[in-house]
Amino acid sequence: MESLLGVEVFLAVIILILYILTAELIEKSKCDYLHETTIAIGLGMIGGLGFYFLAGDQKIEFSTGIFFYFVLPPIVFAAGYTLKSRNFFLNFGFIALYGFLGTFFSFLTLAIMAIFFNENGAVSDTDKISTKDCLLLASVLSATDTVAAITVVKESKFPRLHSILFGEGVMNDAVAIVLFRTVAYIGDEFDALDGLNLLLSFLYMTGTSILIGLGLGLLAAYILKKFGSMGDHPDRETAFIILMGYMSYIVSELLDLSGIMAIFVCGVTMAHYAWHNLSRDSQQGTNLVFSAFSQGAEALTFTYLGMTVTTTGWEDWNILFLLCMFVAMVVGRAASIFMSSAIVYLLQWGHFGLDSKSICVAWFTGLIRGAIAFALVLQIESEHQKVLVSTTLGIALLTTICLTNLLSPYTRFIGLESSSSQEIYFELMSKTANTDDKIYTQTIESSGLSWFHRNWQKIDEKYLTPIFGGMKIEEEQKKVWDKLWADDEIEINKL
């Protein structure tokens, strides 16, 4: 058994090395029609076949325990820790709109359509799944994969849209996992009372997980500020940041809450407060270490996804149901983005802070499904698990291989290549603005989120930053922005 484990690890290392090299070649050649995630899956398939010939009847299994406790945490924590907190909070309204409300719309749409297809001939009588299985599958397919999206929508070129997609993607995964675990607790027969319990459990799990992540993030920032001598040992500071982030995940998981939500919030909180209490070496080191671990973990998930294909029997596939659920997923994502945007648009009397091109990109990028959806479906205990697993795996492969390679052509097709004035102004504003800047105020008001930001900034600057540490706006930065304002004569009303 140890020799087989050694072979599996050896193949994984070789594949990751090849992935890094091919990803670098793709970026240098500026190839728009071949994405690095596709390379990882393809290399995983080759590695799976190699393992099959070397190990005989042994199969490579996608371990959900290893994935959720060792692979997923560094990805999510790095996403929160390396995220520019000012950009995140500036766009928090859109992130919450699509990440929370949008994911719930997607779940409801997928659940209704899954039940409809299940009852109307998409599966045979012997393979018909229960209503609970339909709800579990809907929650699984609500988990998007934005890794590919944010590699195409570059932060340097589209800082605002990148921030929204980045935050919404992580929050969407967290909400989808909470929905999955909430549905798993209900009985096989679903009624109105179960629907109410689902909503209440969802709110409880989400709120409590956020509080755990926020509390441990603030605790880490406070300890680092009080123990300033730790700055003489950057290795200890880095280890402390890693362990506190991981603790938020473990505590939430032990309490049957959302570890992914907790560790993301903890990462964002540490980036906003704790990072400024670190020594310069630790500031640079933590960003580099977390980014490296995150990229390696992401590549590993796609690799194992490709390896799994070689161990799935063809008799387990239901192509008709797979295609039906693919259609349901597309419709669900449309409900997630367009319906939630329309609600805000109507409530604000015809005003919305994002242009139509950005909304269309958000819809398209959210169609991709990946390792989180596949890891969740493996946890479903059902007599028809093979149908659910093959359907999720098929959709993950179809969307990852096909849609990721169409992202760049799609953005050019809708005309996103030229940076809008909103993006240019947002980039300048996110670097220099404070709450008194006209451009800052106007941008916040244009998104309909001025009340939230005004109150959050007041609480943050008056109470939290003095206690836990954080970035202070320097007078020189304000002078730079005032000069930019005077020289460029920016017309705010055109935003």
Side-chain angles (χ1 to χ4, degrees), residues 41-52:
I41 292 177
L43 290 172
M45 291 180 181
I46 296 173
L49 291 173
F51 185 85
Y52 176 79

Side-chain angles (χ1 to χ4, degrees), residues 103-397:
T103 304
F104 205 73
F105 283 160
S106 176
F107 167 73
L108 291 177
T109 305
L110 280 163
I112 293 171
M113 295 186 72
I115 294 172
F116 174 80
F117 290 134
N118 182 57
E119 297 295 332
N120 290 273
V123 293
S124 63
D125 292 335
T126 56
D127 289 334
K128 275 191 176 180
I129 59 180
S130 65
T131 301
K132 182 178 179 178
D133 287 340
C134 290
L135 294 175
L136 287 171
L137 183 61
S139 62
V140 164
L141 294 180
S142 295
T144 64
D145 192 329
T146 56
V147 173
I150 60 177
T151 58
V152 174
V153 183
K154 301 289 186 181
E155 183 179 17
S156 59
K157 196 170 186 180
F158 306 102
R160 190 183 193 195
L161 183 57
H162 177 96
S163 176
I164 293 173
L165 294 178
F166 197 63
E168 185 261 338
V170 176
M171 202 163 287
N172 164 273
D173 291 339
V175 172
I177 292 175
V178 172
L179 284 171
F180 176 83
R181 294 181 177 176
T182 306
V183 173
Y185 289 135
I186 67 175
D188 292 331
E189 297 297 328
F190 187 80
D191 54 26
L193 182 60
D194 287 325
L196 179 60
N197 290 333
L198 189 152
L199 179 61
L200 293 176
S201 299
F202 169 79
L203 294 175
Y204 166 75
M205 292 178 70
T206 302
T208 310
S209 301
I210 290 174
L211 289 177
I212 290 174
L214 180 63
L216 288 175
L218 291 175
L219 178 62
Y222 182 78
I223 291 174
L224 286 171
K225 186 175 181 180
K226 289 300 180 181
F227 289 86
S229 58
M230 199 181 296
D232 297 330
H233 305 279
D235 53 337
R236 294 178 185 174
E237 284 186 319
T238 303
F240 179 76
I241 289 289
I242 294 174
L243 292 174
M244 288 298 290
Y246 196 58
M247 181 185 291
S248 67
Y249 186 89
I250 297 299
V251 169
S252 296
E253 290 296 314
L254 290 176
L255 296 176
D256 290 327
L257 300 172
S258 173
I260 185 174
M261 180 73 77
I263 196 171
F264 176 70
V265 173
C266 186
V268 172
T269 305
M270 285 186 180
H272 192 65
Y273 298 105
W275 187 86
H276 299 281
N277 299 328
L278 296 173
S279 62
R280 183 173 296 275
D281 289 340
S282 295
Q283 288 177 344
Q284 297 173 349
T286 51
N287 286 338
L288 181 61
V289 168
F290 297 153
S291 296
F293 272 114
S294 175
Q295 291 183 19
E298 289 168 359
L300 191 62
T301 57
F302 287 113
T303 298
Y304 267 95
L305 198 63
M307 287 182 174
T308 307
V309 179
T310 62
T311 63
T312 305
W314 286 106
E315 67 277 4
D316 300 333
W317 294 80
N318 186 321
I319 303 301
L320 178 59
F321 187 61
L322 190 157
L323 294 176
C324 288
M325 290 311 301
F326 177 80
V327 173
M329 185 203 65
V330 174
V331 176
R333 182 61 182 178
S336 170
I337 297 298
F338 298 123
M339 187 182 297
S340 56
S341 299
I343 290 174
V344 175
Y345 182 83
L346 293 174
L347 290 176
Q348 295 190 150
W349 300 94
H351 182 76
F352 192 66
L354 281 180
D355 57 79
S356 58
K357 295 177 181 179
S358 298
I359 295 174
C360 289
V361 171
W363 165 75
F364 190 85
T365 55
L367 294 176
I368 302 169
R369 299 296 181 268
I372 291 180
F374 186 64
L376 285 175
V377 78
L378 291 177
Q379 298 182 20
I380 298 178
E381 296 180 359
S382 170
E383 58 180 329
H384 302 296
Q385 186 192 37
K386 291 182 178 180
V387 175
L388 301 176
V389 171
S390 62
T391 299
T392 305
L393 177 60
I395 289 177
L397 292 174

Side-chain angles (χ1 to χ4, degrees), residues 79-95 155 159-164 166-167 264 267-273 275-276 425-441 443-444 447 449 452-454 456-458 460-461 465 469-475 477-478 481:
Y81 189 81
T82 59
L83 184 69
K84 293 182 178 178
S85 58
R86 178 173 288 272
N87 293 1
F88 177 80
F89 290 119
L90 282 171
N91 294 294
F92 182 76
F94 296 111
I95 293 171
E155 183 179 17
R160 190 183 193 195
L161 183 57
H162 177 96
S163 176
I164 293 173
F166 197 63
F264 176 70
V268 172
T269 305
M270 285 186 180
H272 192 65
Y273 298 105
W275 187 86
H276 299 281
Y425 297 157
F426 177 82
E427 184 177 11
L428 290 172
M429 178 268 298
S430 64
K431 294 178 180 178
T432 59
N434 59 33
T435 52
D436 297 326
D437 289 324
K438 297 178 182 179
I439 187 71
Y440 181 94
T441 303
T443 302
I444 295 303
S447 66
L449 304 166
F452 170 81
H453 273 282
R454 280 198 303 269
W456 163 253
Q457 288 286 350
K458 288 178 181 178
D460 184 34
E461 294 175 359
T465 300
M471 182 178 67
K472 295 179 176 62
I473 302 295
E474 302 292 338
E475 286 298 322
Q477 284 184 313
K478 190 173 184 304
W481 176 252

